[in-house]
Amino acid sequence: MATVDTRTEPAIRPREPEPAAGEHTDRPIWRTRYGARIAAVLWALPVPLLVLLLWDRGVGGGWTLPFGIQMQFLPTPYDVARRLADLAVGGIVEDSYSGTLWLHLYASTLRVVQGFAIAAAVAVPLGILMGRSRTVHRMLEPTLGLVRPIPVTAWAPLSLLIIGFGDRATIFLVFLAAVFSILINTVAGVRSVPNRLFEAAAMLGTPPAQTLYKVVLPAAIPTIVSGLRIALGLSWVILVVGETVGIRVGLGALITQAREQSRTDLIVAVMIVIGLAGFLADRIMMLAVRLLVGRRPLLP
């Protein structure tokens, strides 16, 4: 009598669909929420650590770098860290600069914010106008092309004569440093909007008067934001130039005083503070822009 094989083949289980974006998954929270951030930090750490190591070894060994840089005259990373801590909280070096960091940082940040804000308020509307109107572009572009190559440092002596010493001259130099980067990127962003977007907007019944904020601005935002980021970085660069004459409170003034006293540890410490301030300012601006534009990409 034939036997019947009662064994059954294992059922083929259908493949589970991938979870949609934003859908809850069973993966650990640290992988879904913080994994990318932790990875970014880990990728960024080796370079500054290597720089610190080479810096310390170079000072200790008296290395001579290209361009005749004598590292033996530089402070060690420990000396700079000690000066930074003293600037921030005081009680370590105990001199006239102890605990004064926040006063200088506040004064410099206020000047940068004012100059940058004025530049953005002028350059963005003017750039949109030049990008949308060929007549306005033909009228203004040659003059702006002549003024733009003049370095901001060349304006510094003139600004002291026509404006005088103090905050206003520094804010004016920051404005000059920022305005052209924002203007050029805004014009480029507006002029690069594809014609098919205007055609699609017209087909959907968008009135011509509303195409500016419904079509032009959303399409040009990535390029405008790029110009704003470049301008904000330049603002911190030129700040030091504007604060070298006639100003006693500010990061640039602090560098000038340290140079006159040959305090290299103080110079390098303030340089690091300026770099950190510029980095945080960029991140804060990007966060503010993301809150305004939502999920729209901010880089071209």
Side-chain angles (χ1 to χ4, degrees), residues 18-203:
E18 295 291 334
E23 186 178 346
H24 176 72
T25 63
D26 293 332
R27 288 181 296 177
I29 296 178
W30 69 269
R31 292 184 59 186
T32 58
R33 182 176 302 177
Y34 305 112
R37 296 181 181 179
I38 294 175
V41 171
L42 292 178
W43 275 105
L45 276 179
V47 173
L49 292 178
L50 179 62
V51 170
L52 287 175
L53 177 62
L54 294 177
W55 177 6
D56 184 70
R57 294 298 89 203
V59 174
W63 294 355
T64 300
L65 302 182
F67 305 102
I69 299 175
Q70 303 290 330
M71 293 197 66
Q72 61 182 341
F73 299 115
L74 291 176
T76 63
Y78 172 78
D79 293 333
V80 174
R82 183 168 176 265
R83 172 60 71 174
L84 271 173
D86 181 71
L87 278 174
V89 299
I92 300 176
V93 180
E94 291 294 348
D95 58 9
S96 59
Y97 302 108
S98 298
T100 62
L101 173 62
W102 309 112
L103 176 64
H104 294 287
L105 181 59
Y106 173 77
S108 294
T109 302
L110 194 60
R111 295 176 187 125
V112 167
V113 169
Q114 291 182 67
F116 176 77
I118 296 172
V122 171
V124 172
L126 183 59
I128 294 174
L129 184 60
M130 292 178 63
R132 293 292 296 155
S133 174
R134 188 177 299 272
T135 301
V136 176
H137 187 272
R138 288 177 176 177
M139 291 175 60
L140 297 181
E141 198 278 332
T143 302
L144 294 174
L146 289 173
V147 177
R148 182 169 54 87
I150 301 175
V152 178
T153 52
W155 286 93
L158 182 62
S159 66
L160 295 177
L161 293 175
I162 62 178
I163 299 177
F165 297 96
D167 291 352
R168 291 184 297 175
T170 303
I171 294 171
F172 173 70
L173 293 178
V174 171
F175 164 81
L176 287 178
V179 67
F180 292 110
S181 297
I182 303 174
L183 179 63
I184 292 173
N185 280 271
T186 302
V187 173
V190 171
R191 300 190 73 179
S192 64
V193 177
N195 289 328
R196 65 177 182 273
L197 293 182
F198 296 101
E199 297 172 357
M203 293 176 60

